[in-house]
């Protein structure tokens, strides 16, 4: 494949430091991931390398410049991700894909195409399953969308639930009432609510029942109308718990079910978990969307992706050995 050099002249040379990033970090990740050389000379950017990668680099740099002009606070993770996808306008479309702002005024947006697909599925369907490994933003984004629906009066309340599986500890022996006993299990949800609404406002909405956080067992027998309902950690449901939960959906409501099929805490004697079975039973039901995130959608520390990758290899090796 032939090599070439392209030259970009920035619209506003004063933006050059923001385009290059702190200590040229934007340039460094693009050069490393796309195997190109970027040189700044006389307020122009010279890009050298294989033709396909040079063209992709040119496109990414132009999108970065557009974000800088709009004063949109993009991150290095978003630049890294844009080098991994070969088409689309991921960076360019970031400002338009914002869900809400957090209490510090930072825009909350999907960080990957998989996350973007998840948000579109929620807007389109009344029941959405989002399944993927740790660190793919399933809970965080679900809560962000729920808060957006509440603040824009599309629903009148948010209901957050999850199955409470005792992991090596009997909650009956823990101090406090039932809410205090189960609160630690909902920590990721509280963390997200505090980030989007602030601690004081979150507590106020919990006190007046606009936001309800309760174990899955508390959903039995109820009809959940006009609500955005999230069930987290659905891989820990049994068959009957999943069926019970899904049939709580009332008029004007949306449900999001999050889960990670690799991290079920159920005992093997309890059989297949409710999430696995629901995928088989409901996958072709019109009006229910399934979004599967993978290792490319992990948005935590880059080591998380490597850890999950290593565990998957180990588990597959163990499975093959046992089957041999």
């Amino acid at each position: 494949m032939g090599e070439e050099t392209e030259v970009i002249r920035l619209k506003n040379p004063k933006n050059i430091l923001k385009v290059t990033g702190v200590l040229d970090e934007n340039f460094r990740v693009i050069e490393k991931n796309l195997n190109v050389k970027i040189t700044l000379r006389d307020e122009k950017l010279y890009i050298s390398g294989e033709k396909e990668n040079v063209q992709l680099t040119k496109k990414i740099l132009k999108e970065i410049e557009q974000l800088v002009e709009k004063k949109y606070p993009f991150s290095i993770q978003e630049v890294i991700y844009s080098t991994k996808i070969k088409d689309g306008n991921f960076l360019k479309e970031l400002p338009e894909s914002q869900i809400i702002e957090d209490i510090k005024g930072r825009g909350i947006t999907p960080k990957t195409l998989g996350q973007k697909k998840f948000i579109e599925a929620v807007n389109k369907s009344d029941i959405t399953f989002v399944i993927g490994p740790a660190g793919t933003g399933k809970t965080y984004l679900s809560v962000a969308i729920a808060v957006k629906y509440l603040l824009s009066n599309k629903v009148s309340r948010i209901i957050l639930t999850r199955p409470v599986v005792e992991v090596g500890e009997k909650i009956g022996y823990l101090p406090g009432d039932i809410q205090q006993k189960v609160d630690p299990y909902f920590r990721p949800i509280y963390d997200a609510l505090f980030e989007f609404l602030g601690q004081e406002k979150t507590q106020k909405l919990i006190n007046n029942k606009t936001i309800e956080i309760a174990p899955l067992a508390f959903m039995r027998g109820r009809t959940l109308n006009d609500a955005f309902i999230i069930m987290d950690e659905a891989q820990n449901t049994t068959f009957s718990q999943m069926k019970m939960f899904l049939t709580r959906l009332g008029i004007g409501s949306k449900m999001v079910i999050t889960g990670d099929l690799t991290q079920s805490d159920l005992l093997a004697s309890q059989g297949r978990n409710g999430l696995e079975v629901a995928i088989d039973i409901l996958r072709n039901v019109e009006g229910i969307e399934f979004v599967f995130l993978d290792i490319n959608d992990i948005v935590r520390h880059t080591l998380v992706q490597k850890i999950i990758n290593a565990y998957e290899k180990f588990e597959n090796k163990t499975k093959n050995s046992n089957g041999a």
Side-chain angles (χ1 to χ4, degrees):
M1 191 174 288
E3 300 222 340
E4 69 173 21
T5 298
E6 279 269 4
V7 182
I8 300 178
R9 183 188 291 275
L10 295 179
K11 291 179 183 175
N12 185 353
K14 290 182 180 177
N15 288 332
I16 187 61
L17 289 178
K18 292 176 182 174
V19 173
T20 62
V22 178
L23 300 176
D24 295 342
E25 63 177 357
N26 294 339
F27 282 10
R28 284 190 284 113
V29 298
I30 294 172
E31 286 180 327
K32 180 183 175 186
N33 291 356
L34 296 180
N35 194 28
V36 294
K37 179 70 178 172
I38 306 172
T39 307
L40 173 62
R41 191 165 62 239
D42 298 330
E43 298 184 343
K44 296 176 192 170
L45 297 175
Y46 293 78
I47 312 163
S48 302
E50 289 186 359
K51 185 176 180 180
E52 184 182 352
N53 291 341
V54 167
Q55 292 306 315
L56 181 55
T57 300
K58 183 180 174 184
K59 180 172 173 291
I60 290 172
L61 289 174
K62 283 184 172 294
E63 290 185 358
I64 289 176
E65 186 184 12
Q66 288 177 20
L67 292 180
V68 170
E69 286 177 349
K70 290 180 179 177
K71 298 183 179 177
Y72 185 82
F74 60 97
S75 68
I76 187 63
Q77 283 76 21
E78 289 155 343
V79 176
I80 293 171
Y81 184 74
S82 70
T83 64
K84 296 180 180 177
I85 54 175
K86 299 298 181 185
D87 53 14
N89 299 294
F90 179 72
L91 287 173
K92 185 180 175 182
E93 292 174 355
L94 276 177
E96 286 73 40
S97 57
Q98 179 171 305
I99 307 167
I100 54 171
E101 287 186 351
D102 66 11
I103 56 171
K104 293 181 178 176
R106 296 174 299 200
I108 308 300
T109 60
K111 304 293 185 192
T112 69
L113 294 179
Q115 290 189 347
K116 189 177 178 188
K117 186 179 174 186
F118 164 52
I119 293 164
E120 290 168 352
V122 174
N123 289 330
K124 190 171 70 175
S125 304
D126 287 340
I127 297 180
T128 303
F129 287 78
V130 57
I131 300 140
T136 47
K138 302 181 297 293
T139 304
Y140 184 81
L141 284 180
S142 299
V143 175
I145 303 168
V147 169
K148 179 183 180 180
Y149 270 69
L150 179 69
L151 297 181
S152 56
N153 296 316
K154 290 182 178 176
V155 296
S156 62
R157 56 185 174 148
I158 296 173
I159 298 172
L160 304 155
T161 188
R162 56 164 287 174
V164 176
V165 179
E166 302 168 38
V167 185
E169 185 172 26
K170 299 290 184 185
I171 62 172
Y173 292 103
L174 295 174
D177 58 23
I178 184 64
Q179 193 63 50
Q180 291 170 322
K181 290 176 196 291
V182 301
D183 268 357
Y185 292 89
F186 290 95
R187 204 67 251 169
I189 288 174
Y190 279 112
D191 288 345
L193 286 170
F194 293 162
E195 187 171 329
F196 304 138
L197 295 168
Q199 197 160 348
E200 188 177 339
K201 187 170 183 179
T202 299
Q203 195 56 55
K204 184 179 175 183
L205 293 172
I206 291 173
N207 291 343
N208 66 21
K209 310 295 184 191
T210 300
I211 295 178
E212 180 183 349
I213 302 175
L216 182 59
F218 285 38
M219 299 298 123
R220 190 173 296 280
R222 301 175 61 184
T223 301
L224 306 175
N225 292 321
D226 195 21
F228 197 107
I229 311 148
I230 299 172
M231 177 165 69
D232 203 21
E233 306 284 357
Q235 74 279 0
N236 287 330
T237 59
T238 63
F239 174 90
S240 57
Q241 283 176 323
M242 178 62 81
K243 183 182 176 186
M244 178 276 291
F245 174 75
L246 292 172
T247 52
R248 302 304 97 200
L249 183 69
I251 303 299
S253 290
K254 278 187 182 284
M255 269 186 181
V256 172
I257 300 98
T258 78
D260 177 355
L261 291 172
T262 67
Q263 292 197 1
S264 177
D265 295 319
L266 296 184
L267 300 173
S269 59
Q270 292 177 276
R272 298 176 71 206
N273 66 65
L275 180 59
E276 280 182 318
V277 180
I279 294 170
D280 287 346
I281 296 176
L282 302 175
R283 201 161 186 171
N284 296 317
V285 173
E286 191 175 350
I288 299 178
E289 289 281 331
F290 286 85
V291 178
F292 293 88
L293 304 178
D294 61 28
I295 201 164
N296 295 311
D297 296 298
I298 292 174
V299 292
R300 284 185 188 153
H301 195 287
T302 50
L303 273 177
V304 174
Q305 198 174 59
K306 294 177 181 176
I307 290 168
I308 289 176
N309 207 17
Y311 266 85
E312 280 184 359
K313 285 180 181 174
F314 173 79
E315 286 166 352
N316 288 335
K317 188 177 175 184
T318 305
K319 202 180 293 179
N320 291 336
S321 300
N322 292 338

